[in-house]
Amino acid sequence: MARWEPGAAGRLREAAVELFARQGFDQTTAAEIAAAAGLTRRTFFRHFPDKRDVLFAGEAALERALVSAVDEAPEGLSPLSLIGLALDRASDVFVDMPRDRVRARQAIIDSDASLLERQREKYAALARAMGAALARRGIGEPAATLAAECASVVFTVALTQWLADGESRSLSVIAAEVLAELRALDVPR
Amino acid sequence: MARWEPGAAGRLREAAVELFARQGFDQTTAAEIAAAAGLTRRTFFRHFPDKRDVLFAGEAALERALVSAVDEAPEGLSPLSLIGLALDRASDVFVDMPRDRVRARQAIIDSDASLLERQREKYAALARAMGAALARRGIGEPAATLAAECASVVFTVALTQWLADGESRSLSVIAAEVLAELRALDVPR
């Protein structure tokens, strides 16, 4: 697999996904990940507090993308339109990521209950950050929380579709389509 | 606190909430709960697989309410209207419950990470059951999943409000209000 992330942290993340996928999460140590990345165990722990966190380091960029899109949006938009801008900006975080690597990462997370729980916590934190950004724009409760939770649901559904076998559309196209489906939920059928 | 649930299972649930609230979840044994309810430890384990489950036995009634409302609804409704019917039926499950007792139960869950995780799993299972009920009515994907997750979000927000200090409105009134807020998320503001 070609290197796609420069720098020590990126090399550690890449090596971690490869090793976890090949030999299992429980069977892989931080020292092995560091060695595979040509780095020391000490360097590993300078970048990540524990073995689990090497899988979730990307969530900070995602939060920055979601929140900055809401902060910078023009006035007079509906909460769902703000969510649309945020999801579009968040999709950009995935543009240069090889889909197979994100798929491998998700398969590792799905294989371990404690990793799934960590992912749920990370998503809940993203939703709280979105809710706070919406509140800063004067959107009251419960609208801010509802909109942030809707963003989380749309993003989760879109990401699952993006990772599905045979899917070739970009995440931003899929997220826009899922948001349109959410907007159409009040149409009788 | 007056007895409000007849039968062994109800007495065990009631005694569990009282003991957990008074002396802590970790410090309370199944045998103590059984004794407080005037029953044996063996009877406890005939009703509940473990100490945790005594707090979550009500979720089965909630699932039956949500799913039956969707199954029995007339044709030609939107997914959000189906959710409205389901939330209304689910609210009925809480009508005869003393609010202080539900509040005490939630405080116990909030005090323990493993109980919170169990509650998240239960809510996820409710959302899956709702999604399946919507799919049986011919609602496709991702609409069925989106609508079920919206129901879960609305219910969680409404229940939190119902349990807030000083709140006296019924859960069904609050849930209808929160659903109306969800429907208004596409209005510019």
Side-chain angles (χ1 to χ4, degrees), chain A residues 161-185:
Chain A
Q161 180 58 39
W162 185 65
L163 294 177
D165 282 338
E167 177 62 64
S168 61
R169 295 170 301 162
S170 72
L171 183 55
S172 69
V173 165
I174 298 169
E177 190 178 277
V178 176
L179 182 59
E181 290 263 7
L182 181 83
R183 282 177 147 134
L185 284 181

Side-chain angles (χ1 to χ4, degrees), chain A residues 75-81 83 113 117 120-121 138-147 149-150 153-154 157 177-179 181-189, chain B residues 75-81 83 113 117 120-121 138-147 149-150 153-154 157 177-179 181-189:
Chain A
E75 295 296 308
L77 296 179
S78 75
L80 286 192
S81 296
I83 279 173
E117 170 62 1
R120 274 193 290 269
E121 282 165 12
I139 295 170
E141 287 297 342
T145 294
L146 292 171
E149 293 291 339
C150 283
V153 169
V154 169
V157 169
E177 190 178 277
V178 176
L179 182 59
E181 290 263 7
L182 181 83
R183 282 177 147 134
L185 284 181
D186 217 6
V187 177
R189 52 191 86 184
Chain B
E75 295 296 308
L77 297 179
S78 74
L80 286 192
S81 295
I83 280 174
E117 170 62 2
R120 273 192 291 269
E121 283 165 14
I139 295 169
E141 286 298 344
T145 295
L146 291 172
E149 293 291 338
C150 284
V153 169
V154 169
V157 169
E177 190 178 278
V178 176
L179 182 59
E181 289 262 9
L182 181 82
R183 281 176 146 136
L185 284 181
D186 217 6
V187 177
R189 52 192 86 185

